[in-house]
Amino acid sequence: MTAFTSVRRTALGALTVIAGALLAVPVHAQNYPVSSGQRATAQQVAERGVPLSELAPGAPDTYVVKRGDTLWGISGMYLQRPWRWPELWGMNLQALPNPHLIFPGQTLHLEKNGGYARLRTSARGAPDTVRVSPRTRSDSLADTALPTLKPHLIEPFLVEPLVVDAEVLQRAPRIVATVDERVLMADGDRAYARGDESSPLRMEAGASRHYRVFRDAIALKDPLTGEILGYEAQYVGKAELVRGESVEESANGKGGIAYDYVPATVALSATKEEVRAGDRLLPAPARAFVSYTPRAPQVEVDARVVSIYGGNSVTYAAQNQVIAINRGTKDGMEAGQVLHIMTKGDRLKDSTDAAKTVIKLPSERNGHVMVFRTFDRVSYALILEIRTGVRVGDRLVNPE
């Protein structure tokens, strides 16, 4: 058998082989969210392509998709506005029925005709060819499809930030003691925990034994109103329940029986900081499949930066850092939405004016961010591209 097998098919059915292979892929990996609006836009664009004026400067005539590429990066390579993913998808709607199923090894061909451009996976007049290398049966093709963003930038934040009501954290089970009475604990250590009287930590049949450890709920305040939008709990590590709370009987020395409360035992792992008494335990959520389709929000957005995650002493956030904003699911925010971030125009004295009049500089477009995790009134967004540092209070609006 040769190292590579050439699989040929017509441009109209460009991904039928891949689609067939996906029958063995878990259902959740096939159901990438594509809204009816995105599909309608793509179908409209597919009729003739996009105007040449929409193409990014230097868009390549051909490009071979590589490992490490992202949908965001390829979209930005071909379009001036990368969040307009439906346009890029529509340029080859028939050959790419699912915009997420682009794989390393595919060659993209840019075709220009009559003032419009289309993107194909094969040159005009030629059948599409994809090189498929041998792989084990356990290696699904979905695992090789391009991600929207580089996974290592956001995966830690899918479990770390937690926005809760202060009461939720106060009612959560807490670490009460340590093995050998140590003050601080880390990976591999065991600790003792105690639940609320109404919900003790017990080894219930069928219940998850996995928890995350948090501390210090910090108030997230709206920069405009000062209203508390929620409390951000600091992620410390993971804990697994190995023995539940119980009550032990023993002789009290007076011919009677004494009842002693025994806290639960948890094993610590993946700690970012030393765990200590007083830290809280919250159930670990099931790992969910999340897909981020870059798109503009359907609602009008006028948001502000609430905080820079993990940067209590940081004034400016840089590219690839995470920020919290004062809009959440109640305001129509969804994962994948792209926003323009604006500078907060400084106030200064006009040095050319004898009266030293105070003026405010205009806000300028500074780059864009993508929302990747949402709560009721707060969302977290990844800074994709910026020109200058991002500060608390900076404004976020719909992309144009």
Side-chain angles (χ1 to χ4, degrees), residues 305-324 341-347 361 366 383 386-395:
V305 176
V306 174
S307 68
I308 301 169
Y309 184 72
N312 294 333
S313 59
V314 177
T315 303
Y316 293 93
Q319 185 169 320
N320 294 335
Q321 283 191 268
V322 170
I323 57 174
I341 192 159
M342 313 287 291
T343 60
K344 185 168 59 176
D346 290 330
R347 286 183 170 81
L361 299 181
N366 189 27
I383 299 175
I386 55 169
R387 290 189 292 273
T388 63
V390 176
R391 296 183 290 180
V392 170
D394 281 357
R395 186 182 178 196

Side-chain angles (χ1 to χ4, degrees), residues 334-391:
E334 300 174 354
Q337 290 176 337
V338 176
L339 298 171
H340 265 316
I341 192 159
M342 313 287 291
T343 60
K344 185 168 59 176
D346 290 330
R347 286 183 170 81
L348 51 82
K349 291 182 180 180
D350 182 359
S351 60
T352 66
D353 181 2
K356 303 299 182 183
T357 304
V358 175
I359 60 176
K360 181 183 181 298
L361 299 181
S363 296
E364 301 286 353
R365 295 195 180 278
N366 189 27
H368 38 266
V369 305
M370 183 183 292
V371 173
F372 68 87
R373 193 175 186 204
T374 57
F375 295 90
D376 285 349
R377 304 181 66 193
V378 175
S379 296
Y380 288 96
L382 178 70
I383 299 175
L384 299 171
E385 297 172 358
I386 55 169
R387 290 189 292 273
T388 63
V390 176
R391 296 183 290 180

Side-chain angles (χ1 to χ4, degrees), residues 11 109-113 118 120-127:
H109 300 268
L110 185 64
E111 178 186 290
K112 302 175 184 178
N113 185 26
R118 296 173 63 89
R120 301 179 181 275
T121 54
S122 64
R124 176 168 286 278

Side-chain angles (χ1 to χ4, degrees), residues 57-329:
D61 292 331
T62 61
Y63 180 75
V64 179
V65 180
K66 305 185 299 294
R67 289 189 179 276
D69 281 340
T70 62
L71 292 176
W72 176 262
I74 290 179
S75 182
M77 184 187 304
Y78 282 99
L79 293 173
Q80 294 186 38
R81 293 172 283 186
W83 59 90
R84 300 186 67 173
W85 176 251
E87 281 85 338
L88 182 63
W89 172 31
M91 292 163 77
N92 195 21
L93 183 62
Q94 289 180 321
L96 295 176
N98 188 324
H100 296 271
L101 298 185
I102 296 179
F103 295 82
Q106 283 185 306
T107 300
L108 305 179
H109 300 268
L110 185 64
E111 178 186 290
K112 302 175 184 178
N113 185 26
Y116 288 85
R118 296 173 63 89
L119 193 64
R120 301 179 181 275
T121 54
S122 64
R124 176 168 286 278
D128 187 42
T129 300
V130 174
R131 300 286 183 179
V132 181
S133 58
R135 63 182 73 245
T136 62
R137 290 183 181 271
S138 62
D139 183 14
S140 78
L141 285 175
D143 293 334
T144 67
L146 298 191
T148 301
L149 304 171
K150 292 188 181 298
H152 73 275
L153 296 178
I154 58 174
E155 283 183 349
F157 299 99
L158 296 180
V159 296
E160 290 186 10
L162 182 72
V163 178
V164 296
D165 293 329
E167 294 182 2
V168 171
L169 208 59
Q170 287 299 318
R171 292 195 304 267
R174 63 192 184 277
I175 303 293
V176 295
T178 67
V179 175
D180 299 329
E181 298 184 353
R182 280 182 287 170
V183 177
L184 303 175
M185 295 157 283
D187 279 11
D189 289 339
R190 289 194 171 192
Y192 304 116
R194 186 174 185 179
D196 185 83
E197 290 184 3
S198 61
S199 55
L201 277 173
R202 290 178 179 163
M203 304 282 282
E204 303 288 352
S208 174
R209 301 179 183 181
H210 299 281
Y211 291 82
R212 292 180 294 171
V213 185
F214 293 94
R215 77 162 61 107
D216 298 339
I218 301 171
L220 295 176
K221 294 184 179 181
D222 191 306
L224 297 178
T225 65
E227 180 184 4
I228 295 178
L229 305 173
Y231 290 83
E232 181 184 84
Q234 178 186 347
Y235 174 83
V236 179
K238 298 179 181 179
E240 181 179 356
L241 182 64
V242 295
R243 186 170 52 245
E245 295 180 65
S246 62
V247 175
E248 291 185 356
E249 298 181 1
S250 61
N252 62 7
K254 300 180 181 178
I257 298 176
Y259 297 91
D260 296 317
Y261 166 80
V262 179
T265 303
V266 296
L268 304 174
S269 63
T271 55
K272 291 189 64 177
E273 298 183 24
E274 294 86 354
V275 177
R276 60 189 184 221
D279 288 346
R280 300 284 175 164
L281 303 177
L282 288 171
R287 185 172 179 83
F289 175 81
V290 182
S291 176
Y292 307 97
T293 304
R295 63 194 185 279
Q298 297 296 313
V299 297
E300 194 69 22
V301 177
D302 187 359
R304 297 295 186 278
V305 176
V306 174
S307 68
I308 301 169
Y309 184 72
N312 294 333
S313 59
V314 177
T315 303
Y316 293 93
Q319 185 169 320
N320 294 335
Q321 283 191 268
V322 170
I323 57 174
I325 66 174
N326 64 343
R327 295 291 184 270
T329 54

